Amino acid sequence: MNQERQTHYRACHLCEAICGVVIETEGPDVVSIKGDSDDPLSRGHICPKAVALQDIHSDPDRLRKPVKRVRGADGGYEHQPIEWDEALDLAAMGLVETIKNHGVDAVGIYMGNPTVHNYGMMTHQSALFKHIRTRNRYSATSVDQLPHHLISLWLFGHKLMFPIPDIDRTDYFLMIGANPVASNGSIWTVPDVRKRIKSLTERGGKLVVIDPRRTETAELATAHHAVKPGTDAALLLAMIHLLFRDNLVQLGHLTDFVDGLSDIQQAVVHYTPEWAASHTGMAEEDIVQLTHDFAAADKAICYGRMGVSTQRFGTLCQWAIQVVNVLTGNLDREGGSLFTLPAVDQVVGASPGGFGRHTSRVRQLPEFDRELPVACLAEEIRTPGEGQIRALFTGAGNPVLSTPAGDDLDGALEGLDFMVSLDPWINETTRHADVILPPTSPLEHDHYDLAFHVNAMRNTARFSEAVFDKPEGALHDWEIFQGLGERVADALDLEARKAVPPHVIIDRGLKAGPYGDNSEHKLSIEALRATPSGVDLGPLKPQLPERLKTPEQRINLALSAIFDDLGRLEQQLNEASQGYRLIGRRHVRDCNSWMHNFTRLVKGPQRCTLQVSPDDAAREGWLTGSRVSVSSRAGSIEVELEITDTMMSGVVSLPHGYGHGRPGTLSGVANAHAGVSCNAITEATYLDELTGNAALNGVGVVIASL
Ligand SMILES: Nc1nc2c(c(=O)[nH]1)N[C@H]1C(S)=C(S)[C@@H](COP(=O)(O)OP(=O)(O)OC[C@H]3O[C@@H](n4cnc5c(=O)[nH]c(N)nc54)[C@H](O)[C@@H]3O)O[C@H]1N2
Ligand SMILES: Nc1nc2c(c(=O)[nH]1)N[C@H]1C(S)=C(S)[C@@H](COP(=O)(O)OP(=O)(O)OC[C@H]3O[C@@H](n4cnc5c(=O)[nH]c(N)nc54)[C@H](O)[C@@H]3O)O[C@H]1N2
Ligand code: SF4
Ligand SMILES: [Mo]
């Protein structure tokens, strides 16, 4: 092998910020990873997680060959290495047998979050799934951004039309339930958000954060208001009420194509700031003040993320956020929230999405975009009858740790006839698989950010070559999908998809896209190869109404499903609640469940602690370091306490993605930093009932000292 030092330009695919990095290698070793200052989007920024690109690649626990599950000498299961041909045959036959005996709905599919960070998985999953048109499809979407998709579909006509905050040109930023300083941004690709927030406040702009916890982002804000978990819809409705009451509605350029104002005005007539204050715990004058400040600002952004998506009123909140943006004329406006125009235009290429065309078998939860809410996966495996899931395919997902009532799912997986996982590690989920198919490491394949250019605060495009050659005999994720697809097609007498590598598909998309053959840019894979730090396509620009995919290119804000949900809001807000409300927490060196096996990322103080407020601690006699049990209707866990004045009284916070150390897993470092699974106590029935999206935040818990 060539031992010379080489320089590679690459995207970090580990989070939505998609930072450009410069990787120096010597032979098979990574020598350094630095920010790429020539990247037009990330401008040299990286976070402490970037080093994981090396750690993932060199992790001895990462599978290099497929494994199959067998009974070990002690009677328990273990996984043994097998050859690729045998593995693909086994996996395909397990699925085919199930389809032949029980029909396609007996196959369940769960796709996790890294799917959208890996373009080959996006372009090629259909090579397999087109042969398995099961109703039992699930993904991390329904523990995450499902409400955003539905509101985008309903208001703008396409599930991927997300209004993106234009932070660099705004005057006033109202941020609800998001912590980009830890998460690096979500549904908002915004590398170096810390610097961008600082420059906002330095130029006299304001950032106001609404969050039950005084987060790392709130620390940088002009103001932070603590809000009771799950009550933000009341705040937002009161803001809309005030915009009408105080004559602050000013649609500006949106006037010509927005409908439904008078219906909304009527619907919010009772939602006074006084009412909102009584539910949210915010002061009435703060609600009035921030609404007036928002409306008075020349350019303003209202944005909400996980804290207002994965809660009981996620869809209502995402609707109300866009109504606030529209009523103040801040949608599709510089310094407000705008739509992107990505080089591979998914709004043109991908299906717009659809809702409620079928429902889940046991609990009748609605589909969105042909997927069911993952909160019902366990019961669909456990409940006998036609359509029961008997075989499961998981790809890039760890639902045992990531989805509500995950410990129940852990048990349900043992009842399957067959399970196959496309994943590099034997973790809490994949340990149940009969076959695990491990793809190449990220540095061994090329990369294009098919998903995240769609959400970026600036239009750019970048293609990254593989840093290392593919090891002999190894397969990329897309090749595994292709290989499985061909085998399943063959066995079921269907036509297999032709094998076309992902970069060829992207090349076509680039050439047909807005900066392709018919533009001055002439983008193609070849053109991007010549500019490995990425091509700048400029700031976001107003594009409405032309970009709308709705009938007659109009935005109808008055959605009957939303109005119907107001009754549920009033009823559930009035329900008395006992105990504490549990919320989540992200740390800059975490990434959901799968980055705890790298020593550099887990070092330092224990992070899987239950944070509580000093007031609650004093009243209950709790001390930092003491152990408590935390119980919900789903289960009970034991965890160490951490008292911090960042927490609102009555609210407790625990990160998700921990709960390692289970038998049969292969991840030594993670197992030594096991922590407990927050999702052992989140509930499969605690949902945003409109969509079935999990309400991971705001779960009622009872805490007892041990
Ligand atoms: N370091 C790190 N980065 C990540 C990830 C990670 O695990 N670690 N995960 C990635 C993924 S998959 C995603 S989706 C994004 C998420 O990105 P963000 O949404 O920015 O991240 P969170 O930390 O989940 O922020 C949610 C905030 O909502 C608050 N909150 C909880 N309940 C409520 C409520 O009822 N109302 C309000 N107003 N606030 C509430 C929480 O305190 C928290 O601060 O992060 C991505 N980036
Ligand atoms: N309580 C609570 N629960 C949450 C959240 C929360 O805030 N609170 N956040 C939710 C959110 S936003 C999300 S997105 C979900 C995430 O939910 P999941 O996607 O189910 O879980 P991850 O932990 O991201 O697991 C990713 C899996 O992908 C594998 N993997 C990594 N890279 C690759 C790759 O390139 N190819 C393949 N084939 N596999 C790969 C990893 O080994 C791991 O098994 O968790 C959700 N769960
Ligand atoms: S912010 Fe995200 S994309 Fe950037 S270096 Fe960190 S993990 Fe990678
Ligand atoms: Mo997510």
Side-chain angles (χ1 to χ4, degrees):
M1 184 181 278
N2 188 346
Q3 289 297 325
E4 264 171 48
R5 191 174 264 250
Q6 289 187 342
T7 304
H8 310 262
Y9 297 87
R10 177 81 194 178
C12 174
H13 69 296
L14 296 176
C15 87
E16 298 180 40
I18 64 169
C19 301
V21 291
V22 183
I23 303 181
E24 300 275 336
T25 58
E26 265 175 24
D29 301 318
V30 171
V31 185
S32 75
I33 299 178
K34 298 203 173 98
D36 181 357
S37 50
D38 291 334
D39 185 294
L41 185 63
S42 62
R43 313 177 301 192
H45 172 75
I46 49 169
C47 83
K49 216 157 44 194
V51 297
L53 291 173
Q54 176 181 5
D55 298 351
I56 293 167
H57 184 69
S58 54
D59 184 358
D61 289 340
R62 182 170 61 80
L63 299 177
R64 266 72 171 178
K65 280 186 88 163
V67 289
K68 94 172 165 189
R69 190 162 91 147
V70 292
R71 284 267 180 213
D74 61 356
Y77 286 114
E78 59 184 47
H79 282 93
Q80 283 180 351
I82 52 172
E83 296 305 321
W84 270 109
D85 266 340
E86 182 188 353
L88 292 172
D89 287 346
L90 263 175
M93 286 319 120
L95 299 173
V96 166
E97 284 299 305
T98 307
I99 294 170
K100 282 188 173 162
N101 293 331
H102 306 285
V104 280
D105 290 340
V107 178
I109 295 169
Y110 174 87
M111 297 300 288
N113 166 276
T115 307
V116 287
H117 295 264
N118 179 334
Y119 83 128
M121 296 190 81
M122 293 178 72
T123 55
H124 279 71
Q125 52 179 288
S126 65
L128 173 63
F129 298 154
K130 71 180 267 206
H131 305 304
I132 314 173
R133 293 195 186 279
T134 171
R135 289 183 168 213
N136 276 309
R137 278 192 74 154
Y138 304 84
S139 78
T141 291
S142 50
V143 282
D144 190 346
Q145 79 285 1
L146 176 49
H148 296 250
H149 287 306
L150 186 58
I151 290 306
S152 289
L153 173 66
W154 280 346
L155 294 184
F156 314 126
H158 197 286
K159 67 183 178 202
L160 294 177
M161 282 191 65
F162 301 124
I164 304 301
D166 188 13
I167 184 169
D168 290 352
R169 294 181 289 187
T170 200
D171 302 311
Y172 190 97
F173 197 141
L174 177 61
M175 188 180 293
I176 315 183
N179 186 12
V181 172
S183 72
N184 286 301
S186 186
I187 313 203
W188 181 32
T189 287
V190 58
D192 206 1
V193 69
R194 181 186 285 274
K195 207 183 272 166
R196 294 181 201 272
I197 290 174
K198 282 198 174 139
S199 87
L200 164 68
T201 51
E202 275 165 20
R203 65 177 185 262
K206 289 197 169 113
L207 170 67
V208 177
V209 170
I210 312 286
D211 199 301
R213 182 174 155 249
R214 195 177 71 244
T215 59
E216 296 78 357
T217 307
E219 296 284 2
L220 302 182
T222 327
H224 164 238
H225 301 287
V227 64
K228 282 189 202 158
T231 65
D232 306 82
L235 162 68
L236 286 156
L237 290 167
M239 289 182 70
I240 298 170
H241 168 98
L242 283 165
L243 290 174
F244 283 110
R245 190 195 76 182
D246 299 346
N247 290 321
L248 301 170
V249 173
Q250 229 177 359
L251 268 68
H253 69 300
L254 305 171
T255 312
D256 291 344
F257 51 90
V258 171
D259 300 315
L261 262 61
S262 59
D263 288 340
I264 292 178
Q265 181 169 14
Q266 242 173 16
V268 299
V269 79
H270 301 298
Y271 300 137
T272 61
E274 188 190 0
W275 169 81
S278 74
H279 290 296
T280 57
M282 285 176 63
E284 186 181 338
E285 51 282 13
D286 287 340
I287 298 173
V288 175
Q289 184 70 46
L290 78 85
T291 308
H292 278 257
D293 288 350
F294 191 98
D298 185 19
K299 300 159 182 167
I301 296 165
C302 185
Y303 160 82
R305 202 40 201 103
M306 281 293 283
V308 282
S309 308
T310 51
Q311 56 135 292
R312 275 191 303 180
F313 305 104
T315 310
L316 198 48
C317 285
Q318 292 304 334
W319 169 81
I321 284 169
Q322 295 317 329
V323 172
V324 168
N325 283 327
V326 170
L327 294 183
T328 53
N330 281 302
L331 182 78
D332 190 46
R333 175 157 184 254
E334 286 179 12
S337 300
L338 298 121
F339 299 101
T340 59
L341 189 61
V344 178
D345 195 355
Q346 294 260 80
V347 170
V348 173
S351 109
F355 178 63
R357 293 163 296 185
H358 64 262
T359 56
S360 69
R361 180 179 60 111
V362 178
R363 216 193 313 172
Q364 277 81 51
L365 295 181
E367 66 79 43
F368 178 84
D369 202 25
R370 309 282 176 212
E371 285 182 9
L372 292 169
V374 70
C376 68
L377 175 57
E379 73 206 24
E380 293 295 335
I381 296 173
R382 285 190 194 280
T383 313
E386 196 168 331
Q388 176 185 9
I389 297 176
R390 294 162 187 271
L392 183 68
F393 180 100
T394 72
N398 192 2
V400 165
L401 294 192
S402 317
T403 66
D407 281 14
D408 180 44
L409 179 64
D410 198 16
L413 295 181
E414 269 313 303
L416 290 165
D417 295 345
F418 182 74
M419 176 168 162
V420 47
S421 294
L422 173 59
D423 202 289
W425 279 277
I426 309 180
N427 64 22
E428 298 70 24
T429 298
T430 61
R431 71 186 175 124
H432 297 286
D434 296 286
V435 193
I436 307 177
L437 307 169
T440 48
S441 107
L443 298 185
E444 291 162 353
H445 63 75
D446 53 18
H447 180 80
Y448 182 84
D449 276 296
L450 193 50
F452 299 106
H453 286 310
V454 177
N455 302 347
M457 42 83 62
R458 192 176 178 89
N459 292 314
T460 65
R462 179 187 51 205
F463 178 74
S464 311
E465 299 282 11
V467 171
F468 294 115
D469 292 340
K470 184 168 85 162
E472 213 182 302
L475 295 177
H476 300 308
D477 281 286
W478 73 267
E479 292 174 311
I480 298 170
F481 275 124
Q482 183 69 31
L484 290 174
E486 286 169 5
R487 282 167 173 79
V488 170
D490 195 40
L492 294 177
D493 222 1
L494 299 164
E495 198 177 330
R497 185 169 128 183
K498 259 178 50 195
V500 179
H503 76 270
V504 175
I505 297 174
I506 295 303
D507 190 51
R508 287 180 199 148
L510 288 168
K511 287 175 175 159
Y515 315 94
D517 290 346
N518 292 328
S519 79
E520 54 177 302
H521 298 278
K522 307 271 181 264
L523 284 193
S524 64
I525 288 287
E526 206 185 319
L528 292 184
R529 276 194 174 122
T531 325
S533 296
V535 174
D536 190 12
L537 302 167
L540 304 189
K541 291 189 193 126
Q543 299 182 69
L544 296 193
E546 292 76 20
R547 183 109 174 126
L548 291 173
K549 298 285 173 254
T550 47
E552 295 172 45
Q553 294 189 317
R554 298 187 69 80
I555 300 174
N556 178 16
L557 296 175
L559 302 173
S560 56
I562 290 290
F563 292 157
D564 291 347
D565 213 28
L566 295 174
R568 183 176 69 94
L569 173 75
E570 291 181 31
Q571 184 207 328
Q572 294 189 357
L573 285 182
N574 285 330
E575 279 167 10
S577 76
Q578 285 176 337
Y580 292 87
R581 293 275 160 196
L582 175 70
I583 62 167
R585 183 166 88 240
R586 282 178 157 81
H587 185 281
V588 74
R589 278 186 281 124
D590 283 327
C591 188
N592 299 319
S593 76
W594 74 280
M595 256 177 245
H596 296 147
N597 209 39
F598 315 126
T599 309
R600 288 191 279 190
L601 295 194
V602 291
K603 66 178 185 214
Q606 149 87 287
R607 300 208 288 266
C608 187
T609 56
L610 186 78
Q611 292 191 339
V612 302
S613 78
D615 286 357
D616 294 334
R619 201 182 51 248
E620 304 266 11
W622 293 332
L623 298 171
T624 285
S626 53
R627 290 185 68 78
V628 292
S629 72
V630 190
S631 311
S632 71
R633 291 176 297 186
S636 190
I637 51 176
E638 293 180 7
V639 64
E640 202 173 285
L641 280 182
E642 180 186 347
I643 301 170
T644 155
D645 70 359
T646 56
M647 289 304 298
M648 182 184 194
S649 177
V651 184
V652 298
S653 162
L654 184 67
H656 72 285
Y658 287 90
H660 307 296
R662 301 183 193 203
T665 56
L666 180 63
S667 38
V669 178
N671 287 347
H673 295 76
V676 288
S677 176
C678 172
N679 285 319
I681 55 170
T682 56
E683 299 172 358
T685 52
Y686 191 67
L687 305 171
D688 170 24
E689 286 166 32
L690 186 49
T691 53
N693 201 47
L696 303 167
N697 289 297
V699 178
V701 292
V702 173
I703 301 176
S705 296
L706 291 173

